[in-house]
Structure formats: structure tokens, C-alpha cells
Amino acid sequence: ETAVFQTPNYHVTQVGNEVSFNCKQTLGHDTMYWYKQDSKKLLKIMFSYNNKQLIVNETVPRRFSPQSSDKAHLNLRIKSVEPEDSAVYLCASSFGGDQDTQYFGPGTRLLVL
Amino acid sequence: GQQVQQSPASLVLQEGENAELQCNFSTSLNSMQWFYQRPGGSLVSLFYNPSGTKQSGRLTSTTVIKERRSSLHISSSQTTDSGTYLCAMERGAQGLTFGLGTRVSVFP
């Protein structure tokens, strides 16, 4: 049963364009996350966010930024895409704190030409 | 180096065979989670397992947190078990740190 929703499923764009991916969770969770899965299939955390704190992985380029309107939504904006941004972007949510299950959305596949 | 080491990298099974997947962590952790990733990419949570043994159908997860390891046992494998199995460690608000996964292929 899907409870973390992502749009679009797939996006193709050109270098330098701005893109925005949407994520919504209906689980009542307090914390949301964005992960990137590269061509080698390694999943890496990009951001975690609740209404109190944004934690940014230090390896994430500044052109990436999370945007949240409320605790059920966390969008991902890429200001000027680069070829190496081609990947699958996965959104997740949890109740936060220590020891809690994360639930993932289906992912958004980005291809930068 | 990788903080989460998974082995084997890939596994080929004939339907009905059992399999054991291993996950080792190089640092201390609060808990860990096992996921199944479908060929299309979506992640399904299999177990949230901070310690001990948990079972769900033909899957069993055993975590020994002090030894920084966890295993996933698949019994009587089926072709529908084919996919990638990922383990991840949880260290609070920093999110999950994933291994590279074990790719399982089950043939009839």
C-alpha cells in the first residue's frame, strides 16, 4: 500500500535547467528525507527534515534544495542541473527520532541530456 | 570505505533453495533495516530490526547489534523473490546509510 507519493515518475531535461520533484506522505510522519541512487545503485542520504531541523549531507551540491510547505510535503528543487545529477531520487518518511522505520516512495528518475 | 558491507554481491538460486544474506557495519549504529528493491526501483521495507530475530513468512532477519551485523534468511526461494536486497543502518536524524545490496536471481 503506497503511502509516500512522488511525482513525476520520470523527467528528462537539459543541462542548466531547473527541476522540481514533489513528495507527499500520508502516514502522519514528522520527518522526511531525500535520497539519491546513482548509476552504481548506491543509495545516499541527501537531506532529512522535520519542522525543527534540516540536516544536509555535506556532499550535496548547493544547487539542490529541499522545500517544505507542511510536514506532509517535502519537495526537491535542483536549480541548474548537471549531467551527474542523472539518477533516481527517492523520498522517504518516518516518525523521526531514534529507532524508527522509514517508508519510501517509488522514486523519480531524472535524465539530464 | 563502505560503512555497510553486504555479501554476497549477487546470488543465483534454483527455486526451492534457501539463501543467507549478510550485512556488516563498520561503525556503531542505533538500528538497521532490510529492504527489497524491485527491478523497477521502488523500495519495500522488509524488517526494522534493532536486535534479535524477526520472521515474516519465508523471511527471517537476525541482528546482533553489539557485533555490528545482521543476516537475512530466505527459505524455499521463489522466482518472485528475485530482486535486490538492501540493508541500511540507522543513526538518528542523519538518515539511513545503505549497503550496495545483494542481487538475487531465482530460476525455476
Side-chain angles (χ1 to χ4, degrees):
Chain A
E1 182 181 350
T2 304
V4 182
F5 303 91
Q6 290 187 240
T7 57
N9 295 326
Y10 192 75
H11 188 76
V12 182
T13 190
Q14 292 186 328
V15 171
N17 285 348
E18 177 176 319
V19 300
S20 187
F21 303 146
N22 301 313
C23 180
K24 170 187 174 182
Q25 54 93 6
T26 58
L27 296 165
H29 286 162
D30 299 312
T31 304
M32 296 183 71
Y33 312 83
W34 276 101
Y35 292 82
K36 177 183 179 181
Q37 188 169 34
D38 59 24
S39 57
K40 296 180 181 178
K41 302 298 183 183
L42 181 60
L43 266 158
K44 284 189 177 179
I45 181 75
M46 300 180 71
F47 304 99
S48 70
Y49 180 75
N50 62 25
N51 59 0
K52 298 175 184 176
Q53 189 178 22
L54 170 66
I55 297 178
V56 181
N57 184 323
E58 62 189 13
T59 66
V60 174
R62 290 191 176 186
R63 59 181 179 276
F64 288 84
S65 60
Q67 298 175 320
S68 178
S69 55
D70 55 57
K71 73 173 190 177
H73 296 82
L74 185 67
N75 299 333
L76 180 66
R77 175 181 170 234
I78 313 174
K79 197 172 180 181
S80 176
V81 295
E82 298 286 338
E84 61 265 30
D85 298 339
S86 295
V88 177
Y89 293 87
L90 290 152
C91 176
S93 70
S94 73
F95 282 115
D98 292 343
Q99 303 198 2
D100 188 48
T101 305
Q102 289 190 21
Y103 295 87
F104 280 76
T108 293
R109 186 176 296 271
L110 173 67
L111 179 60
V112 181
L113 300 175
Chain B
Q2 274 299 108
Q3 291 182 300
V4 181
Q5 299 276 358
Q6 287 191 245
S7 61
S10 62
L11 195 55
V12 179
L13 301 169
Q14 190 161 20
E15 202 167 27
E17 289 184 328
N18 300 332
E20 185 100 351
L21 282 57
Q22 300 291 341
C23 188
N24 291 280
F25 309 100
S26 62
T27 65
S28 61
L29 63 157
N30 294 337
S31 184
M32 65 80 55
Q33 205 166 340
W34 281 99
F35 293 90
Y36 167 71
Q37 187 166 35
R38 299 187 180 103
S42 60
L43 279 173
V44 176
S45 178
L46 297 174
F47 294 102
Y48 177 83
N49 192 358
S51 67
T53 298
K54 294 189 175 183
Q55 184 175 2
S56 175
R58 295 180 293 103
L59 300 178
T60 303
S61 167
T62 300
T63 297
V64 184
I65 206 79
K66 289 184 177 180
E67 295 181 11
R68 301 178 183 174
R69 61 178 175 87
S70 183
S71 64
L72 180 68
H73 184 83
I74 306 173
S75 63
S76 302
S77 61
Q78 299 178 1
T79 56
T80 51
D81 295 332
S82 296
T84 300
Y85 292 80
L86 294 161
C87 69
M89 67 176 183
E90 184 260 318
R91 293 186 297 163
Q94 297 172 34
L96 296 172
T97 301
F98 283 84
L100 284 169
T102 295
R103 182 170 293 182
V104 174
S105 301
V106 184
F107 293 94

